C-alpha cells in the first residue's frame, strides 16, 4: 500500500514540475520577440558609442600623446626626424583593434583631434591580424546604419511600441516605435 502511495506522490510531483516548466513557456509565448533580424535589421548605436576609431593622417603631429594615455600603449606612431627642418615626419600610424579595449583615452587626449570614435561595430574577421588597421584603414569613413539602404535601422527597445516598457500583452500588429 505504501508503494502505491509513493507512486502516486511521484506522479503528482512530476506533473507539478512539468507544469512549472510549461508556465515559463506559456509566459514567453505571450511576449513579442525581443530580437531583431540581424543583419537585415540593425540597432542604431547611441551618439556616444565607442566603435572603430577614425584617424586623420594630415592632422596628426606625431606627438605620441595617444600612446602615453593608452592603458596598453597600443597606437604605433611611426615617424622619423627631419634633420633639416628639425621636425618629425610621420610615416605610418596604426591601431590593433584586436587588442584595443575602446576606452577612448587616445581620442580624449589627442591635441589635434585627429582621432574620433565612430559608430562602426562590425569588426569581425577570419584572421586577427586583419584587425591591425594602418592609417589608410583608419582613415576610411565609417559605415552608418542609418545611411545603409540595405538594412532596416532600429532604435533601442525597437521591438516595443511607443510608451510600452513591458513586452507582455502587446499585440503583434502594433507598430514598433524603433522602426524607421
Ligand atoms: S595624440 Fe593625436 S596628434 Fe598625437 S600622435 Fe596621437 S593621433 Fe597623432
Ligand atoms: S581606445 Fe583606449 S585601448 Fe584603444 S587605442 Fe585608444 S587608448 Fe588605447
Amino acid at each position: 500500500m505504501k508503494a502505491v502511495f509513493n507512486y502516486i506522490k511521484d506522479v503528482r510531483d512530476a506533473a507539478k514540475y512539468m507544469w512549472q516548466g510549461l508556465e515559463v513557456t506559456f509566459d514567453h509565448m505571450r511576449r513579442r520577440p525581443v530580437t531583431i533580424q540581424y543583419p537585415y535589421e540593425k540597432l542604431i548605436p547611441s551618439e556616444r558609442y565607442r566603435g572603430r576609431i577614425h584617424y586623420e593622417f594630415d592632422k596628426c603631429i606625431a606627438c605620441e600623446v595617444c600612446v602615453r594615455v593608452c592603458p596598453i600603449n597600443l597606437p604605433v606612431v611611426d615617424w622619423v626626424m627631419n634633420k633639416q627642418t628639425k621636425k618629425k615626419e610621420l610615416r605610418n600610424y596604426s591601431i590593433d583593434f584586436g587588442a584595443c579595449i575602446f576606452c577612448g583615452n587616445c581620442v580624449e587626449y589627442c591635441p589635434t583631434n585627429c582621432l574620433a570614435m565612430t559608430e562602426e561595430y562590425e569588426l569581425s574577421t577570419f584572421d586577427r591580424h586583419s584587425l591591425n588597421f594602418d592609417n589608410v584603414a583608419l582613415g576610411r569613413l565609417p559605415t552608418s546604419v542609418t545611411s545603409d539602404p540595405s538594412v532596416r535601422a532600429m532604435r533601442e527597445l525597437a521591438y516595443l511600441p511607443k510608451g510600452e516598457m513591458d513586452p507582455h500583452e502587446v499585440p503583434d500588429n502594433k507598430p514598433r516605435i524603433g522602426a524607421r
Side-chain angles (χ1 to χ4, degrees):
M1 200 63 189
K2 192 179 174 202
V4 174
F5 278 130
N6 282 344
Y7 180 74
I8 293 170
K9 184 173 173 293
D10 286 347
V11 170
R12 193 194 63 196
D13 285 348
K16 183 178 137 197
Y17 297 137
M18 274 174 63
W19 177 250
Q20 279 178 346
L22 283 171
E23 269 184 344
V24 176
T25 308
F26 291 143
D27 183 45
H28 281 268
M29 279 172 68
R30 291 187 300 126
R31 299 185 189 193
R32 287 165 66 94
V34 294
T35 49
I36 60 162
Q37 300 301 311
Y38 182 87
Y40 310 108
E41 296 177 339
K42 290 181 185 172
L43 287 179
I44 303 168
S46 64
E47 279 178 25
R48 297 175 66 188
Y49 184 79
R50 296 201 296 252
R52 195 262 296 174
I53 293 167
H54 179 255
Y55 169 74
E56 290 176 75
F57 187 87
D58 294 342
K59 282 165 76 176
C60 181
I61 55 174
C63 65
E64 293 187 279
V65 165
C66 53
V67 185
R68 288 198 292 276
V69 296
C70 176
I72 45 176
N73 296 347
L74 187 59
V76 177
V77 189
D78 180 15
W79 56 268
V80 290
M81 181 61 83
N82 186 326
K83 287 186 179 150
Q84 287 178 330
T85 60
K86 293 187 178 163
K87 283 187 177 171
K88 288 176 176 177
E89 274 182 13
L90 188 60
R91 293 286 168 85
N92 198 2
Y93 184 94
S94 64
I95 294 177
D96 186 352
F97 290 116
C100 177
I101 57 169
F102 300 91
C103 65
N105 270 6
C106 53
V107 176
E108 189 76 22
Y109 288 97
C110 174
T112 60
N113 289 333
C114 60
L115 296 170
M117 303 305 272
T118 71
E119 60 180 51
E120 198 174 306
Y121 56 86
E122 290 165 319
L123 291 170
S124 52
T125 58
F126 289 107
D127 177 4
R128 66 189 171 90
H129 299 296
S130 309
L131 289 170
N132 194 359
F133 281 33
D134 65 0
N135 47 278
V136 178
L138 287 168
R140 180 177 54 75
L141 286 176
T143 54
S144 168
V145 172
T146 47
S147 60
D148 185 348
S150 64
V151 301
R152 191 168 177 218
M154 315 287 285
R155 294 193 202 102
E156 272 185 87
L157 290 173
Y159 47 88
L160 291 177
K162 188 177 182 180
E164 295 281 357
M165 295 303 289
D166 188 342
H168 290 87
E169 311 290 349
V170 177
D172 275 347
N173 55 3
K174 219 169 168 189
R176 297 198 284 188
I177 186 64
R180 277 200 149 194

